[in-house]
Amino acid sequence: MGHKDFQGKWFYSFSLEERVPPDHLLRSVHRVVDLSFVRGLVRHTYSHTGAPSVDPVVVFETPPDHSILSKARKRYGPEAYRQFFNEIVRQCAEQGLVDGDRLYLDASLVKANASLGSLVSRPLYSQLPGVDDYV
């Protein structure tokens, strides 16, 4: 199993560190989330022989291309992704990054039946279905 030492890129014409604002949400996540558990999570899927692989943290940490993600999904299985997601949410909640007053969505379709007259403020996190419903 490979192990990558994360370093800034030398040949960019700009610095990503300078472009991402200090108060960006992902900087908060990066400060408190420890991804070292990932290697233990998937260690059983690697052989002790042969050339080192791509570090599995890279597969989970950066947005990989579809090819890498498909291969990783097949190798690790849905249970590894479920455990990864649960651990990241647990770490973020433990550090106070999850408070349930905002909900971020991607472009997935979400069932909804709401009228603007019935909208009220309430904690959203407690109403979300479990990760098992999506894996």
Side-chain angles (χ1 to χ4, degrees):
M1 179 181 339
H3 184 89
K4 179 177 177 130
D5 293 323
F6 291 92
Q7 300 172 357
K9 300 291 184 189
W10 289 13
F11 300 106
Y12 284 145
S13 60
F14 69 94
S15 168
L16 188 58
E17 288 296 316
E18 293 173 6
R19 302 282 189 212
V20 178
D23 60 345
H24 193 278
L25 172 66
L26 290 181
R27 285 196 184 271
S28 299
V29 171
H30 183 68
R31 281 192 294 274
V32 302
V33 170
D34 176 12
L35 293 174
S36 62
F37 73 94
V38 170
R39 291 180 191 93
L41 183 67
V42 298
R43 185 174 313 280
H44 68 280
T45 65
Y46 288 87
S47 171
H48 66 283
T49 62
S53 67
V54 171
D55 187 341
V57 171
V58 173
V59 175
F60 285 96
E61 183 180 74
T62 58
D65 64 48
H66 66 89
S67 175
I68 291 174
L69 193 56
S70 295
K71 289 174 187 173
R73 186 183 310 121
K74 185 175 181 180
R75 166 175 251 163
Y76 303 146
E79 183 59 28
Y81 282 88
R82 181 180 297 113
Q83 290 178 23
F84 172 79
F85 179 80
N86 286 338
E87 177 61 17
I88 295 300
V89 171
R90 185 196 67 75
Q91 288 185 35
C92 289
E94 191 175 88
Q95 296 296 323
L97 294 180
V98 177
D99 60 12
D101 66 346
R102 292 186 192 132
L103 178 63
Y104 293 91
L105 297 175
D106 61 9
S108 300
L109 294 177
V110 177
K111 291 182 184 178
N113 185 9
S115 74
L116 292 176
S118 68
L119 295 178
V120 294
S121 178
R122 59 185 176 218
L124 297 171
Y125 181 70
S126 62
Q127 300 174 51
L128 294 176
V131 66
D132 294 339
D133 295 339
Y134 295 102
V135 174

